Amino acid sequence: SPREVAGDVSTALVEMHWDGSSGGTYLWKMIEDDVRARYRPGRGKLRLVVVTDGEDTLSPAEYNGVAGMDPMMKTLLRLGFDIEWHIVVLGEVEREARYQALAGATGGSFLSAKTFDPREPRAAAFLEAVGASGGRDRRDRQRRYERDVKSGKAERLEWYRALPEK
């Protein structure tokens, strides 16, 4: 059930006692390689939850920085993956709106916080979105992203048009 999934994610984040002080970040290329190695593209969606404390500083040049999500998404979409991103940014990150756009464009959810407390209303809403992913909820989040792009509140990601229309 959605609440069980949200509870599992919440428990994992709390049990990690992660404080965002790890130093460098290797993100986009690692995720691309992991998805390609562990999953097969198909009719279903793949829901990914990412917790990060900063921009990718350790991936190869093309994947480095927040723009590194673009080559990753192009590759995964070209291979037929349908990914719903749920992203938690702990601490302050440059171009945070880009992470939010990735989550919104794929029908996922986004949370920016100094710490992760599942009792905090924004964290609870994030967990609820993770648990209620897919179907109508996902499309509603994608439509909200589209409205935000049209109104100038969100960046239009170049690969967005390639998302599957399921």
Side-chain angles (χ1 to χ4, degrees), residues 91-149:
E92 294 184 27
V93 175
E94 288 184 31
R95 299 186 65 196
E96 183 179 281
R98 203 70 157 91
Y99 292 95
Q100 191 168 7
L102 173 61
T106 61
S109 57
F110 174 80
L111 174 66
S112 175
K114 291 186 183 199
T115 61
F116 191 91
D117 180 353
R119 297 165 300 194
E120 195 269 324
R122 291 182 317 118
F126 174 84
L127 292 171
E128 185 65 31
V130 172
S133 70
R136 187 171 157 199
D137 291 322
R138 182 181 189 199
R139 287 290 166 209
D140 288 348
R141 290 189 295 268
Q142 284 178 305
R143 298 302 168 237
R144 188 175 324 120
Y145 166 75
E146 290 172 350
R147 286 190 305 273
D148 287 348
V149 166

Side-chain angles (χ1 to χ4, degrees), residues 2 33 39 55 72 81 83 85 100 108 112 114 132 160:
D33 291 346
Y39 303 98
E55 288 190 30
M72 176 203 61
F81 286 98
I83 300 176
W85 291 88
Q100 191 168 7
S112 175
K114 291 186 183 199
Y160 179 71

Side-chain angles (χ1 to χ4, degrees), residues 2-72:
R3 291 198 185 277
E4 289 170 350
V5 170
D8 291 345
V9 172
S10 174
T11 301
L13 289 171
V14 170
E15 286 177 355
M16 289 188 307
H17 298 289
W18 190 66
D19 66 2
S21 63
S22 60
T25 301
Y26 180 64
L27 187 64
W28 305 118
K29 183 61 176 157
M30 181 215 45
I31 292 171
E32 178 186 300
D33 291 346
D34 190 56
V35 168
R36 292 177 74 174
R38 295 177 185 269
Y39 303 98
R40 290 195 171 103
R43 295 179 51 110
K45 83 169 154 42
L46 178 61
R47 178 179 23 183
L48 296 178
V49 177
V50 173
V51 179
T52 184
D53 66 339
E55 288 190 30
D56 189 330
T57 57
L58 300 176
S59 284
E62 181 182 13
Y63 293 85
N64 206 268
V66 72
M69 71 174 64
D70 294 327
M72 176 203 61

